[in-house]
Amino acid sequence: GIKFFPLTLGPMRSLTLRGLKLKSSIEKKGFKVIETYPGAAQDLLGIPRKKAGIEPLRNALIKLGIKGDINKKEISDHELDAITCALVGKMYLEGEYLALGDPKEILMILPKPKK
């Protein structure tokens, strides 16, 4: 029930191309790159998306144990999405994730859904 934007949709096409360039650059430096989607991750974690407002999302991430810059007064919705993605990265490293998609391409890494 999670909706993804088609990668060929106008603005998504340029974001996809930018992401592929970043992926290549980061991998050349020896790092592993994963793909995730903060809105889907928020749905699976049972927390509000940014469209519900910055404070509900911030408070939900704090309840999940996030500390540090999340307490910045002027935090943006984009920063909260980035924090969500970092949390997914942590879950990936801990083996607490789902991998969706075509393994010949890049997989979408998401949190294991709450039971």
Side-chain angles (χ1 to χ4, degrees):
I2 296 169
K3 294 181 181 176
F4 292 89
F5 292 109
L7 299 179
T8 56
L9 179 72
M12 290 304 295
R13 184 176 304 141
S14 62
L15 283 174
T16 300
L17 293 173
R18 180 176 173 226
L20 290 170
K21 279 179 67 177
L22 283 169
K23 176 183 181 279
S24 175
S25 174
I26 292 167
E27 285 179 336
K28 283 179 185 173
K29 294 179 180 181
F31 294 98
K32 168 99 174 124
V33 175
I34 64 169
E35 172 86 14
T36 193
Y37 171 34
Q42 291 155 354
D43 291 348
L44 290 168
L45 291 167
I47 63 175
R49 288 188 181 207
K50 63 186 174 187
K51 67 183 174 188
I54 286 177
E55 289 310 313
L57 178 53
R58 179 201 313 253
N59 291 333
L61 288 166
I62 289 169
K63 284 181 184 170
L64 289 175
I66 302 299
K67 295 176 176 51
D69 281 354
I70 196 157
N71 293 306
K72 274 186 359 183
K73 184 177 181 180
E74 300 297 323
I75 198 161
S76 74
D77 58 339
H78 301 294
E79 290 172 301
L80 291 172
D81 277 351
I83 290 168
T84 301
C85 292
L87 179 59
V88 172
K90 178 181 178 289
M91 295 173 85
Y92 172 79
L93 292 172
E94 294 170 345
E96 295 296 318
Y97 68 94
L98 296 171
L100 307 173
D102 183 349
K104 294 176 194 153
E105 298 176 8
I106 192 166
L107 295 171
M108 177 72 63
I109 304 299
L110 295 168
K112 281 187 179 175
K114 287 184 160 190
K115 295 180 181 183

